[in-house]
């Protein structure tokens, strides 16, 4: 046990943080946006950055920030958004906002969840995917320190379109939406990032007082600040960077946000010991897992679901998705690993090799120009250039099983289902339609025909005919 007089401060800090950790939290994610400016048949929040939908990013941040209770507000007839929300967070309650009457109206669509009175309520926007859990934690800390309302403030290059934060010393006095602002208020550069934390004790009392007497005729969530102040409660603004509150309305903003996310993911990878030779050319997914001393050469793309173990090298122009790369393996240049590719230790997959739903066991090699689908390649086996597993008969997929230490000669077609035994040898250019026993040689050869002098005679005859015409 710590002696209070010596380490009192540390103990106090611990007591406060464990007390904070016990505070319950409801995260309300507003996903009822229209998203018309995306010019897409897909709802805005189902667009992806870093291989993950916008709403998925926001839900992960909410959960990481301690949002044990989740409420998601979707627009009418948005079964697709609700389905994605349910897939990502089966525990979440889903509410429908029938009419789009403003951000406070959207929050109140989740009234039932708010009535359960969590200590902290976080209101998040599903189109603002880069908010970090540390930033959400700072909002929650403000509540635990006595604020009834906490918002994120930032200073953009151009404040146009944002709600302005009217400060009174350290306290936040009000948020004024641009359309309702006086010229002096418009001159304020410190603006509202949109997300808000409300203390659960006061949330409904505040939200129920919000009206719609403003320029847009909407129920503004931002009015919560002035109302809290009138109730004698405290409101604060927590300053953050623009990236945390970057909202997406257009495809161009989607791309800008992707760029910011890629920057974060690359930095995290390098901090964890990955070598990125040209980081700006490597595209990662939010769930990409790269071990220590992994080297990624320029121009590599990681789709979702990739793990690369320590010491592996991914060479230029490779595309990986849903794949596992074992320790010390070498992939590429110009390799494609598709979902279900599992590479063991020290495997080599070279240029123009595609691997799908296949396990390549330790030390096996396919160095050039091959398709390996629905297969097992045994330990140390060698797959020659031009080898194809013919896994599809037009209707069904079939498996190819290649034993340990087998040697598949170049340009062989392995017509699945087929089994090549351990240590077997397939002669070049064979079409293998039958299982091959261990240590056997199988080859398919038509007789070679050699006609001495034939080419010279052929050319001479052609030349003579040309001369006569
Ligand atoms: C909001 C803030 C503004 C802030 C800005 C930051 C309000 C009133 N204003 O303005 O102070 O500077 O964000 O980007 O909150 N939504 C619904 N239902 C509705 C209305 C909105 O679900 O009826 C959702 C939207 O899908 C979006 C979020 O709430 O995810 C914010 O709405 P939006 O219309 O983008 O608010 P802004 O005008 O950007
Ligand atoms: Mg907006």
């Amino acid at each position: 046990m710590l002696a209070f007089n010596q380490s009192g401060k540390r103990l106090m800090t611990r007591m406060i943080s464990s007390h904070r950790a016990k505070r319950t939290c409801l995260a309300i994610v507003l996903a009822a946006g229209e998203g018309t400016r995306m010019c897409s048949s897909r709802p805005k929040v189902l667009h992806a950055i870093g291989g993950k939908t916008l709403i998925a990013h926001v839900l992960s941040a909410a959960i990481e920030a301690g949002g044990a209770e989740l409420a998601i507000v979707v627009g009418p007839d948005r079964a697709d958004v609700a389905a994605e929300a349910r897939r990502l967070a089966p525990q979440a309650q889903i509410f429908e906002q029938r009419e789009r009457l403003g951000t406070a109206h959207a929050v109140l669509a989740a009234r039932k969840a708010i009535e359960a009175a969590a200590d902290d309520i976080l209101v998040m926007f599903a189109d603002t995917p880069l908010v970090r859990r540390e930033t959400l934690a700072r909002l929650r800390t403000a509540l635990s320190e006595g604020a009834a309302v906490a918002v994120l403030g930032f200073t953009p290059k151009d404040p146009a379109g944002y709600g302005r934060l009217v400060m009174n010393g350290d306290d936040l006095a009000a948020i004024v939406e641009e359309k309702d602002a006086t010229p002096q208020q418009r001159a304020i550069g410190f603006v509202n990032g949109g997300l808000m934390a409300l203390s659960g004790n006061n949330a409904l009392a505040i939200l129920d007082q919000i009206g719609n007497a403003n320029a847009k005729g909407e129920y503004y969530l931002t009015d919560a600040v002035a109302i809290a102040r009138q109730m004698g409660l405290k409101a604060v603004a927590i300053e953050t960077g623009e990236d945390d509150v970057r909202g997406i309305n257009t495809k161009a903003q989607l791309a800008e946000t992707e760029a910011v996310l890629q920057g974060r993911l690359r930095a995290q990878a390098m901090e964890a010991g990955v070598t990125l030779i040209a980081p700006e050319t490597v595209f990662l997914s939010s769930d990409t897992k790269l071990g220590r001393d992994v080297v990624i050469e320029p121009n590599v793309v990681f789709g979702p679901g990739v793990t690369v173990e320590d010491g592996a090298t991914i060479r230029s122009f490779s595309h990986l998705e849903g794949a596992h790369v074992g320790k010390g393996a070498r992939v590429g240049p110009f390799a494609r690993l598709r979902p279900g590719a599992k590479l063991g230790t020290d495997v080599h997959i070279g240029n123009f090799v595609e691997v799908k739903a296949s396990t390549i066991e330790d030390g096996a090699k396919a160095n050039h120009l091959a398709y390996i689908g629905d297969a097992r390649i045994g330990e140390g086996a060698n797959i020659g250039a031009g080898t194809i597993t013919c896994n599809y008969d037009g209707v069904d997929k079939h498996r190819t099983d290649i034993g340990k230490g087998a040697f598949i000669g170049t340009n062989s077609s392995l017509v699945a289902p087929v089994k090549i035994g351990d240590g077997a040898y397939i002669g070049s250019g064979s079409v293998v339609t039958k299982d091959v026993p261990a240590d056997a040689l199988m080859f398919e050869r038509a007789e070679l025909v050699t006609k001495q002098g034939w080419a010279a005679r052929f050319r001479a005859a052609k030349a003579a005919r040309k001369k006569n015409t």
Side-chain angles (χ1 to χ4, degrees):
M1 237 203 149
L2 288 167
F4 193 73
N5 55 354
Q6 281 166 3
S7 311
K9 205 171 161 199
R10 250 201 300 164
L11 185 60
M12 282 297 281
T13 316
R14 274 204 206 162
M15 284 165 66
I16 290 169
S17 56
S18 69
H19 171 69
R20 251 180 229 153
K22 278 190 203 125
R23 289 175 68 95
T24 56
C25 177
L26 162 70
I28 303 176
V29 175
L30 303 189
E34 284 170 329
T36 48
R37 289 178 66 202
M38 298 297 270
C39 299
S40 171
S41 53
R42 180 191 298 221
K44 175 164 74 174
V45 300
L46 298 189
H47 283 72
I49 56 171
K52 181 167 152 180
T53 58
L54 302 182
I55 189 170
H57 283 278
V58 174
L59 288 172
S60 310
I63 291 166
E64 285 172 8
E69 296 294 319
L70 289 172
I72 303 168
V73 179
V74 302
D77 306 321
R78 280 273 68 123
D80 42 6
V81 176
E84 169 76 346
R86 229 171 263 125
R87 185 183 74 79
L88 296 163
Q91 74 277 29
Q93 299 182 66
I94 296 177
F95 299 93
E96 190 177 280
Q97 186 195 21
R98 297 231 166 79
E99 278 178 289
R100 214 170 167 276
L101 299 179
T103 42
H105 181 260
V107 171
L108 280 171
R111 179 184 287 277
K112 268 228 179 92
I114 301 171
E115 278 167 356
D119 297 313
D120 300 346
I121 296 176
L122 284 174
V123 178
M124 302 172 68
F125 296 168
D127 67 353
T128 306
L130 294 187
V131 65
R132 290 168 303 167
R133 75 180 139 188
E134 301 91 276
T135 309
L136 296 172
R138 288 172 67 208
L139 284 177
R140 292 192 61 195
T141 299
L143 298 185
S144 74
E145 288 170 355
V149 180
V151 306
L152 291 178
F154 71 108
T155 309
K157 276 198 201 96
D158 178 10
Y162 290 107
R164 306 301 203 278
L165 298 182
V166 181
M167 299 301 294
N168 181 2
D170 279 346
D171 285 352
L172 177 62
I175 305 178
V176 187
E177 291 303 296
E178 173 152 293
K179 285 202 171 155
D180 303 287
T182 64
Q184 285 109 307
Q185 286 168 335
R186 267 186 214 184
I188 298 172
F190 192 39
V191 306
N192 177 26
L195 316 187
M196 184 180 279
L198 293 153
S199 90
N201 287 341
N202 309 106
L204 271 181
I206 296 172
L207 292 166
D208 276 333
Q209 289 182 58
I210 294 177
N212 64 350
N214 52 52
K216 277 183 157 175
E218 282 189 4
Y219 295 86
Y220 288 160
L221 179 61
T222 45
D223 284 351
V225 171
I227 290 167
R229 300 277 300 187
Q230 282 157 24
M231 291 167 72
L233 300 167
K234 189 173 160 164
V236 296
I238 304 289
E239 184 156 12
T240 186
E242 185 165 6
D243 288 339
D244 261 341
V245 289
R246 206 174 262 283
I248 296 172
N249 290 319
T250 63
K251 291 268 165 78
Q253 287 167 342
L254 185 72
E256 283 160 23
T257 310
E258 174 86 63
V260 174
L261 175 63
Q262 290 299 330
R264 284 186 186 174
L265 295 173
R266 291 164 189 148
Q268 276 164 18
M270 291 186 282
E271 267 162 37
V274 177
T275 300
L276 299 180
I277 294 172
E280 65 285 2
T281 69
V282 173
F283 290 82
L284 299 161
S285 279
S286 295
D287 64 354
T288 305
K289 292 191 187 71
L290 305 173
R292 282 162 80 97
D293 297 315
V294 164
V295 176
I296 314 289
E297 291 187 354
N299 296 301
V300 173
V301 176
F302 291 90
V306 177
T307 304
V308 181
E309 289 194 45
D310 295 355
T313 298
I314 313 296
R315 305 201 58 199
S316 289
F317 301 104
S318 295
H319 190 285
L320 298 83
E321 187 179 358
H324 179 96
V325 178
K327 278 192 184 140
R330 275 197 344 232
V331 174
F334 298 99
R336 179 162 185 216
L337 302 186
R338 289 174 51 204
K342 293 194 195 87
L343 279 45
T345 303
D346 294 328
V347 161
H348 292 183
I349 296 295
N351 41 262
F352 308 108
V353 174
E354 174 179 342
V355 182
K356 188 230 40 166
S358 295
T359 301
I360 318 288
E361 294 179 355
D362 296 354
K365 292 178 189 154
N367 273 326
H368 347 256
L369 299 151
Y371 171 65
I372 301 169
D374 303 301
R376 176 189 76 99
I377 312 292
E379 202 180 313
N382 188 87
I383 308 297
T387 297
I388 306 287
T389 54
C390 309
N391 59 329
Y392 186 48
D393 59 15
V395 181
D396 295 312
K397 300 276 171 62
H398 303 280
R399 294 196 58 80
T400 299
D401 190 86
I402 297 176
K404 184 172 166 180
F407 182 96
I408 312 298
T410 57
N411 210 26
S412 296
S413 301
L414 309 175
V415 182
V418 70
K419 248 186 168 155
I420 316 285
D422 290 353
Y425 200 105
I426 305 296
S428 292
S430 303
V431 177
V432 181
T433 53
K434 285 191 233 157
D435 289 355
V436 182
D439 293 320
L441 165 68
M442 181 182 272
F443 63 91
E444 185 204 22
R445 289 279 185 276
E447 193 190 342
L448 281 183
V449 178
T450 308
K451 294 189 177 178
Q452 294 287 352
W454 181 92
R457 288 196 299 278
F458 174 78
R459 282 190 295 267
K462 284 278 186 193
R465 208 170 301 158
K466 224 172 202 173
K467 215 172 171 187
N468 296 337
T469 51

